[in-house]
Amino acid sequence: MTRFADLGLRVVMRLGAPSADQEGRRNTVNNLAEDISASSAHVAKVVAKLVNIGVANSVRGRKGGIVLADDAPSMKVGEVLRKLEVSSEVINCVEPTECPYYSNNCLLRTRLARAREAFFAALDDLTIADLLEHTAREHKRSGAVGLGIPQMIDPSDRTEAFA
């Protein structure tokens, strides 16, 4: 999954989180960026795409802000991800230089495309409402839900997590 799609799901979860409109502030690009630990420039692009695909609505002006679209909770996460992922291939066989094995009948490309679709299909039974309900439960249980970008674990660090 691309960082763009990851940020898209985080924005959606933040817009639907119980505290999103109870903190006395509007959902602006800057507020969302701060909440999910991402740059405002990236979040602005993500929000524009979410609005374009009908997941969010954006109102300009002093009393404006970003909110989930009325139909968003019933949308399937897999379908939203398909629309957020801009590349149609898992790997690019043409750029920066064309792979010497590149052809329309490449078995690897075919299997990677199938795997990509299986990834999306595995999320087709999950709705945005499911994500929001889980986030609300976690927020109620722990008092906070971290939506920032997780740090990657170094696999060479052989701690108990890898035992």
Side-chain angles (χ1 to χ4, degrees):
M1 180 166 56
T2 62
R3 180 169 166 84
F4 187 84
D6 180 25
L7 290 175
L9 291 179
R10 290 171 192 275
V11 166
V12 167
M13 291 169 62
R14 182 64 186 110
L15 290 174
S19 61
D21 36 63
Q22 295 173 2
E23 295 176 359
R25 66 178 182 165
R26 293 173 285 128
N27 291 311
T28 64
V29 166
N30 289 336
N31 290 342
L32 290 168
E34 181 181 322
D35 291 345
I36 64 170
S37 303
S39 78
S40 293
H42 282 123
V43 172
K45 291 176 187 175
V46 167
V47 167
K49 182 70 172 185
L50 290 172
V51 168
N52 182 264
I53 64 175
V55 175
N57 292 321
S58 177
V59 178
R60 293 181 182 232
R62 203 174 109 184
K63 295 190 179 200
I66 304 153
V67 295
L68 282 179
D70 291 339
D71 295 340
S74 64
M75 293 179 177
K76 304 291 184 179
V77 173
E79 191 59 38
V80 172
L81 279 174
R82 284 180 188 92
K83 293 176 181 178
L84 288 173
E85 291 286 340
V86 290
S87 173
S88 61
E89 303 242 3
V90 174
I91 57 172
N92 189 337
C93 299
V94 180
E95 293 178 354
T97 58
E98 187 171 305
C99 173
Y101 306 106
Y102 174 76
S103 76
N104 288 334
N105 296 323
C106 175
L107 179 61
L108 180 59
R109 284 180 64 219
T110 302
R111 292 293 175 96
L112 288 173
R114 193 181 306 166
R116 180 178 188 265
E117 182 51 35
F119 170 75
F120 293 139
L123 297 168
D124 280 338
D125 65 342
L126 182 68
T127 65
I128 290 175
D130 296 332
L131 288 179
L132 300 180
E133 288 168 15
H134 177 78
T135 302
R137 275 195 310 272
E138 288 300 305
H139 182 268
K140 188 175 182 178
R141 185 181 64 78
S142 68
V145 176
L147 295 176
I149 305 297
Q151 293 184 342
M152 299 302 292
I153 297 172
D154 182 359
S156 66
D157 180 15
R158 297 286 175 197
T159 60
E160 291 178 18
F162 295 101

